[in-house]
Amino acid sequence: MVDPTLAEMGKNLNEAMKMLEDNQRKVEEENEKKYARKDIPGPLQGSGQDMVSILQLVQNLMHGEEEEETSQSYRLQNVGEQGHMALLGHSLAAYISVLDRERLRKLTTRILSDTTLWLCRLFRYENGSAYYHEDDREGLLKICRLVIHTRYDDYTIEGFNVLYSKQPVIYISSAARTGLGQALCNQLGLPLSCMCRVPCNTMFGSQHQMDVALLDRVIKDDVESGKLPLLLVANAGTPGAGHTDKLGRLKELCEQYNMWLHVEGVNLATLALGYVSSSVLAATKCDSMTLTLGSWLGLPAVPAVTLYRHEDPSLSLAAGLTSSQPVEKLRALPLWLSLQYLGHDGIVERIKHASQLSQRLLENLKNLDFIKTSVEDELSSPVVVFKFFQEYSNRDQTSHAAQASTIQHPIISNERHIYDTFNQWLGEQLAQLVPASGVDVVELEDEGTCVRFSPLMTSAVLGTEIQDIDQLVDCLKMKIPVLTSTLQLREEFEQEVRRTVGLLYIEDLGWPGLGVVRYNYHSDEKNDDKQEKELEKINTELLKKLNELESDLTFSLGPEFGGQKNCVYIGMVTEDLDVSELVETIAATGREIEENSRLLENMTEVVRKGIQEAQLQLQKANEERLLEEGLLRQIPVVGSVLNWFSPFQASPKGRTFNLTAGSLESTESTYVSKAQGTGTTPPPTPTSSLAKQRLPGQKAFKRSLRSSDGFSETSSISHCDDLEKMDQRPPALSPSHEQGPLETEKQEEQKEVAQAQTNTEDTHSDKSPPDCAKGEEQMRGLLSGNRDRDGKGCALRNVNVDRMWETKWGGSARGDVERF
C-alpha cells in the first residue's frame, strides 16, 4: 500500500513540472507584462498565495527575460522521467527528514549503502567508500584533509604547528582545471608554495599528459629539501583535450614515495563500458576518484561522488568524508532514485551512446581537408578536439591531400593569432547553427584555440543524436571554403589597401574576416579633436554607403570591445570576391564623401564672406543714395513736398549672390530683363566612377564566371554596348504592320513641320533678321502646339527642328530655341 503523502507528493511534483515546462505564452501577454510588477522586488504579501500563483511566478522568472530579449523560447535541459526522479528525491529528502530518529537512521543507511555498492560495481572500484557532495571540488578537498590526518600523526592535537617541520606538497598537472590548486590552498589554509604544478610532455608522448620523469625529479628534490610529498592529482581526461595521464606509472611513483593518488576526468565514465582502454582502466587502482554523474547521465541536481579507499573510519570522520548526522546522508537520495530508474543497462547505454557520437564525428573529420584533430585514442576517445589549419605552403593550391591527424603548429606568431581568431569564429558558428551538438571553444596551451566536442558532458543534457553529428559535419563543410578563401584573400587585400592612396590598412589579428581598413582623412586642421570627429564622420558614412550596396559582404564597426575606432571591418568572404574592385570602391566612396564634406565647408565659408561683403556694399549704397538725394529730402515735411514737385528718379541698385561663382553681382540686368540670370552651370556632384557593369542578378564585388575561354572581357563589353544601342533604336515598322495612334500622331507632326518649312521658304528666302523673327514666331507656335500634347515623339520633333533651323537661318537650334 502506497503512503498517501508520497502519492500526493509525486502528483504535485508532476503538476509543477508540467507547469514549469509549459513556457509557451501569448505575444499580447508578453507585451503587456514587459515592465510588469513581477520584475520589481516588493514586500511579502500578508495574505499569502496559492501554489499555482507561486509556480506561475517561478515560470515567469525562468522564461520571461530570455524571451523578451531574444523573442525565442529558451532551450532548457532535456529533463526526462529520470530527471523527474532526481527532482522527486529532493522533495522526498525534505519529507524523510521529519521521521523519527531511528527510522531515519535505518532509511539513510540503506540508501547510502545501496548507492555506494552500485557505483563501486558499475565503475569497477572494489571495496570503496563514497562521499556525496554538491561542489565537484569538495571531494578532493576532503581527501586532502584525510591525507594530512594520515601522514601527520599529531595533526589532530597540534593542528598546523606540525606542518612547520615538514611542509606538505600537493602535485597537480599543468593541464588541470584552472584555479584548482589555488582553491585547495585557500580551503586548507596552506600557502601557495605547497602547490606544485607539473609540466606536461614536451618531446615524447601526448603534450597533454603529465611528464612522469620530470615529476620524479621534482619529488626527489622536495624530499631532499625536507618537504613531504602528500598527494598527486592526475587526469583521466584533461578538461581541455580529454587526454589521460599515464596512471599506471604514476601509481608506481606514488607507492614509491608513499603518496596519495587522486584521479578525476570525463574518461572515467568509460569504466562502465565493456571495453575500456588500459590507460583508463588503471584508474581503478588509484586511492580515490571523483565522478560527475549528473552531466554524464543527464540528471539534474544530483551530487557528485568521490570514491575512496581507507581503512580508518575515525580519520574519515575527522576529514569530513563521513558524517554521523542522518540528514547529510540523504544527499544520495536523488541519485539513488535515478539509478534505480535507469538501471544498469540504461546507464551503460547512455555512456555508450556518447562514445559512439564522438567516434562518428572523428571518422567524418578524417575525410575533411584543412581540419586537424587531436585525440588520444582513435578507437575509443570520448573527447574530440579539432581545428582549422592550412599549411602555409599550400595556400595557393586548389587541391589538397588529406592531412595527418596530429596537429602541426604554425611557426609564425601572427599566423598563430590569425588561426586562433578563425577557429574562435568557427566554433561559435557551429555552436549557433547546431546547438544540439554541444560543441564549444577551448584554449589549449600548444594548439591554441580549438573546437571541442565532449558528448559525455553534453549529449545526455542536450539530447544529441547521430543526425545532429551529420548536420554538424555538413555545416563544417560549408564553412571550410569560406575560411580558406578568406585566409588566401587576406594578404591580397592588405597589399591592395597599402597600394591605394587614401586608405590605411589596420592590422587586427583578432578580427575574423578579410581585414580592417580606414579611410585616411587628410586635413590642415591643427585641432586634433575636430580632425578626429571629421574622421569618424567620414568612416561612419563610408560604412553606411557600403552596407547599402547589394553584396554578400558584411561591413561593421568591429567588435564592441577591444576594436579599433573609426574603421570599417570586413567579414568573411568567398573565393569569387574581386578584391581590387572592393578596394577601389572603398577608396572612391571615401573620396566622394570627403569631397562632398569639403564642398559643403567651402560653400559655407563663401556664403559667410558674401554676406559680409553684401552688407558693406549695401551700407555704401545707402550713403551714396543720401548724397544723391540731398539734405533737404531727408527733412520729413520738406522732403515730401520736394519729392512731390520734383520726384527723384533713383536707379535700383541691388546685389545677388552667385553660389556657383562665389561672388556678388549687380541686379541691374535683372531689373532690365525682368528675369534673373542662371549664371554658369554648377559643377556636377562628384560620384563614384566605379559602377562596374554586372550581369543581371550578380552582386557587387563578384568576379563574373565565364562559360568559355574564348569569351573575353572586351567582347562582353562590346556586346553589352550593342545591346544598349539596339534598345535605344526605335523599332522599325513593317509595311504590313497596322499603324497605331502613336504612328498616326508622329505623321501629323511631320506634316506640320513640313508645312512650316514650306511657309518659311516662301516668305523668308532672303534670311533677313525680320524674317528670322517671324520664323521664330512660327517656331514658337509650333513648339507651343506640341507642348500641349502628351510628349510622345519628342526626340523626333527636336531632330526636325534642328534640321530646319540649320537649313533656313543657320546656327544651332538648341541655344536659340531654349529661351522660348
Side-chain angles (χ1 to χ4, degrees):
M1 183 176 180
V2 181
D3 189 348
T5 305
L6 294 178
E8 184 68 20
M9 184 183 302
K11 180 181 178 181
N12 293 336
L13 180 63
N14 291 331
E15 294 179 355
M17 291 301 300
K18 290 180 181 179
M19 184 176 297
L20 294 178
E21 290 175 354
D22 185 15
N23 57 355
Q24 301 295 332
R25 292 176 299 168
K26 297 182 179 180
V27 179
E28 295 80 9
E29 295 178 356
E30 292 180 358
N31 297 331
E32 293 176 359
K33 297 181 179 180
K34 187 174 183 180
Y35 301 101
R37 179 69 174 80
K38 64 181 180 62
D39 298 325
I40 305 175
L44 182 64
Q45 297 184 8
S47 59
Q49 301 183 34
D50 55 0
M51 180 179 177
V52 177
S53 301
I54 297 175
L55 290 178
Q56 184 66 38
L57 175 61
V58 174
Q59 177 187 355
N60 295 336
L61 295 176
M62 289 171 57
H63 305 289
E65 183 178 356
E66 289 82 3
E67 291 185 359
E68 289 171 2
E69 292 180 356
T70 62
S71 299
Q72 295 179 359
S73 60
Y74 185 70
R75 183 189 180 100
L76 293 176
Q77 177 176 332
N78 185 20
V79 181
E81 291 294 333
Q82 74 280 358
H84 290 182
M85 296 300 296
L87 299 178
L88 179 61
H90 291 274
S91 301
L92 287 176
Y95 174 72
I96 294 174
S97 62
V98 300
L99 298 177
D100 60 273
R101 187 175 184 83
E102 182 63 23
R103 186 175 299 179
L104 178 62
R105 184 186 63 81
K106 291 182 179 180
L107 182 58
T108 55
T109 302
R110 172 65 184 274
I111 294 173
L112 191 63
S113 59
D114 285 350
T115 309
T116 303
L117 178 62
W118 297 338
L119 293 177
C120 289
R121 290 183 177 179
L122 186 64
F123 294 98
R124 309 185 184 192
Y125 198 81
E126 300 178 357
N127 300 324
S129 302
Y131 172 65
Y132 303 89
H133 47 92
E134 302 297 334
D135 189 357
D136 54 358
R137 297 176 299 183
E138 186 179 355
L140 178 58
L141 176 63
K142 297 299 177 65
I143 291 296
C144 291
R145 290 178 178 174
L146 174 63
V147 178
I148 291 176
H149 280 281
T150 304
R151 298 298 301 275
Y152 293 93
D153 297 334
D154 299 333
Y155 182 78
T156 306
I157 301 175
E158 299 182 8
F160 288 99
N161 293 327
V162 299
L163 303 180
Y164 291 112
S165 59
K166 284 188 176 183
Q167 179 180 345
V169 182
I170 301 174
Y171 303 91
I172 64 174
S173 173
S174 59
R177 288 180 290 172
T178 304
L180 178 61
Q182 184 177 2
L184 292 177
C185 291
N186 293 338
Q187 294 296 326
L188 295 173
L190 298 176
L192 292 179
S193 58
C194 294
M195 190 63 55
C196 178
R197 295 181 62 87
V198 183
C200 296
N201 296 325
T202 55
M203 298 296 295
F204 305 99
S206 172
Q207 296 182 351
H208 302 279
Q209 292 179 348
M210 192 183 303
D211 193 340
V212 181
L214 181 59
L215 174 62
D216 190 9
R217 293 195 298 268
V218 171
I219 295 176
K220 288 181 180 179
D221 295 339
D222 291 339
V223 172
E224 292 176 357
S225 60
K227 298 180 180 180
L228 180 63
L230 198 67
L231 182 139
L232 173 63
V233 181
N235 292 300
T238 55
H243 289 205
T244 303
D245 293 325
K246 297 180 175 61
L247 300 180
R249 295 184 57 187
L250 292 178
K251 179 58 180 177
E252 296 175 358
L253 195 62
C254 290
E255 291 178 351
Q256 179 182 352
Y257 293 100
N258 194 18
M259 295 172 56
W260 186 283
L261 178 61
H262 178 81
V263 181
E264 60 182 15
V266 67
N267 293 352
L268 293 176
T270 59
L271 290 173
L273 301 178
Y275 169 78
V276 185
S277 62
S278 58
S279 59
V280 179
L281 189 60
T284 59
K285 304 298 181 182
C286 65
D287 299 302
S288 60
M289 66 170 65
T290 298
L291 310 175
T292 55
L293 298 172
S295 58
W296 299 349
L297 304 178
L299 303 176
V302 297
V305 183
T306 296
L307 303 179
Y308 65 96
R309 296 190 185 97
H310 199 266
E311 298 178 355
D312 194 345
S314 60
L315 296 181
S316 300
L317 181 62
L321 290 171
T322 58
S323 176
S324 59
Q325 299 296 327
V327 178
E328 294 187 6
K329 298 179 181 180
L330 290 175
R331 292 179 181 176
L333 180 58
L335 191 57
W336 182 72
L337 295 174
S338 301
L339 293 179
Q340 290 187 86
Y341 182 84
L342 291 174
H344 183 275
D345 296 338
I347 296 173
V348 174
E349 182 62 28
R350 286 178 177 265
I351 299 176
K352 183 179 179 181
H353 175 69
S355 300
Q356 291 175 351
L357 293 176
S358 62
Q359 292 301 312
R360 179 65 172 265
L361 178 61
L362 183 59
E363 292 175 359
N364 289 297
L365 293 179
K366 291 179 181 179
N367 300 324
L368 296 180
D369 295 337
F370 312 116
I371 294 296
K372 304 290 186 178
T373 59
S374 176
V375 294
E376 181 182 14
D377 186 2
E378 295 185 358
L379 298 178
S380 60
S381 179
V383 180
V384 179
V385 176
F386 61 93
K387 65 179 294 186
F388 166 77
F389 179 72
Q390 184 179 3
E391 296 289 347
Y392 186 82
S393 58
N394 295 337
R395 285 187 183 177
D396 298 332
Q397 299 179 4
T398 57
S399 61
H400 302 268
Q403 307 293 329
S405 61
T406 305
I407 293 181
Q408 301 177 4
H409 313 296
I411 301 177
I412 305 176
S413 59
N414 287 348
E415 270 194 23
R416 169 71 178 267
H417 292 296
I418 293 175
Y419 279 114
D420 289 347
T421 302
F422 278 39
N423 283 283
Q424 177 79 22
W425 177 85
L426 177 61
E428 293 174 355
Q429 289 291 314
L430 294 178
Q432 182 180 1
L433 295 174
V434 193
S437 63
V439 295
D440 59 349
V441 180
V442 61
E443 296 286 343
L444 301 181
E445 183 176 358
D446 296 321
E447 289 84 351
T449 305
C450 300
V451 183
R452 178 180 59 185
F453 176 65
S454 181
L456 280 172
M457 301 297 295
T458 60
S459 62
V461 174
L462 300 177
T464 310
E465 299 294 339
I466 295 295
Q467 54 267 23
D468 297 324
I469 304 302
D470 297 337
Q471 184 181 1
L472 178 67
V473 175
D474 294 338
C475 294
L476 185 59
K477 291 179 180 179
M478 291 188 298
K479 296 300 179 182
I480 290 177
V482 177
L483 292 170
T484 54
S485 302
T486 305
L487 189 62
Q488 292 175 1
L489 297 176
R490 191 180 177 106
E491 298 178 1
E492 181 182 352
F493 175 76
E494 179 180 356
Q495 296 174 1
E496 287 288 341
V497 172
R498 295 188 185 278
R499 288 196 299 262
T500 304
V501 179
L503 296 183
L504 180 63
Y505 180 80
I506 306 298
E507 186 175 6
D508 190 350
L509 302 179
W511 172 248
L514 184 65
V516 185
V517 64
R518 173 188 297 162
Y519 183 79
N520 198 8
Y521 172 71
H522 298 285
S523 176
D524 299 334
E525 182 67 35
K526 297 182 179 180
N527 190 351
D528 296 337
D529 295 338
K530 186 176 180 181
Q531 188 174 1
E532 185 72 18
K533 291 181 180 178
E534 188 66 23
L535 180 64
E536 180 181 0
K537 179 182 178 182
I538 292 178
N539 284 275
T540 303
E541 185 67 20
L542 175 61
L543 175 63
K544 180 181 179 181
K545 288 185 175 296
L546 291 176
N547 283 324
E548 291 176 356
L549 299 176
E550 295 183 1
S551 65
D552 293 333
L553 300 182
T554 56
F555 303 94
S556 64
L557 294 175
E560 184 177 1
F561 303 101
Q564 297 287 337
K565 294 183 179 179
N566 305 329
C567 297
V568 177
Y569 285 76
I570 306 174
M572 293 289 179
V573 299
T574 54
E575 61 180 356
D576 57 349
L577 174 69
D578 193 339
V579 178
S580 60
E581 180 189 354
L582 172 62
V583 176
E584 290 175 2
T585 303
I586 295 176
T589 307
R591 287 193 297 267
E592 177 183 344
I593 298 173
E594 182 181 2
E595 292 174 1
N596 292 337
S597 178
R598 288 184 177 179
L599 179 61
L600 181 60
E601 292 180 358
N602 296 336
M603 184 177 297
T604 303
E605 184 66 20
V606 168
V607 170
R608 186 182 63 82
K609 293 181 179 180
I611 293 174
Q612 294 177 357
E613 183 180 356
Q615 290 177 350
L616 294 176
Q617 292 187 10
L618 291 176
Q619 183 179 1
K620 184 178 179 180
N622 290 332
E623 294 176 355
E624 293 177 354
R625 184 178 61 82
L626 291 176
L627 293 177
E628 291 179 0
E629 292 179 355
L631 181 61
L632 295 177
R633 295 182 184 273
Q634 309 304 322
I635 301 175
V637 178
V638 177
S640 300
V641 175
L642 185 59
N643 289 332
W644 185 77
F645 283 104
S646 176
F648 179 78
Q649 299 293 335
S651 60
K653 295 180 180 180
R655 296 292 185 268
T656 178
F657 184 72
N658 192 337
L659 291 176
T660 304
S663 61
L664 286 174
E665 298 177 357
S666 177
T667 59
E668 293 181 1
S669 59
T670 303
Y671 288 104
V672 172
S673 61
K674 305 298 182 180
Q676 187 172 357
T678 58
T680 59
T681 304
T685 304
T687 57
S688 175
S689 61
L690 297 171
K692 183 178 179 180
Q693 294 184 356
R694 295 188 295 270
L695 298 177
Q698 182 182 0
K699 295 186 177 181
F701 316 126
K702 295 288 186 180
R703 292 196 298 266
S704 60
L705 300 178
R706 298 170 176 82
S707 58
S708 61
D709 297 337
F711 185 76
S712 62
E713 184 177 359
T714 306
S715 62
S716 63
I717 295 178
S718 62
H719 180 65
C720 294
D721 295 339
D722 295 338
L723 291 177
E724 292 178 358
K725 294 179 181 179
M726 292 177 64
D727 294 338
Q728 296 176 359
R729 185 181 305 168
L733 297 177
S734 61
S736 60
H737 189 275
E738 184 178 355
Q739 294 184 352
L742 181 59
E743 289 75 3
T744 305
E745 183 180 358
K746 289 182 179 180
Q747 291 180 1
E748 293 177 357
E749 292 174 356
Q750 292 176 1
K751 292 180 181 179
E752 293 177 1
V753 173
Q755 184 66 28
Q757 183 176 358
T758 304
N759 297 334
T760 306
E761 291 177 354
D762 296 337
T763 57
H764 305 287
S765 58
D766 54 352
K767 302 182 182 179
S768 60
D771 295 338
C772 292
K774 294 181 180 180
E776 290 177 1
E777 294 294 331
Q778 293 180 2
M779 291 301 300
R780 184 180 293 110
L782 177 61
L783 291 177
S784 61
N786 291 336
R787 192 181 297 115
D788 296 335
R789 301 186 181 182
D790 57 357
K792 298 181 180 179
C794 293
L796 181 60
R797 291 198 298 270
N798 291 336
V799 172
N800 294 330
V801 169
D802 290 342
R803 291 177 179 176
M804 185 179 67
W805 192 280
E806 293 175 1
T807 303
K808 292 299 177 182
W809 294 286
S812 176
R814 296 287 183 184
D816 296 334
V817 178
E818 282 179 354
R819 55 199 178 104
F820 295 151

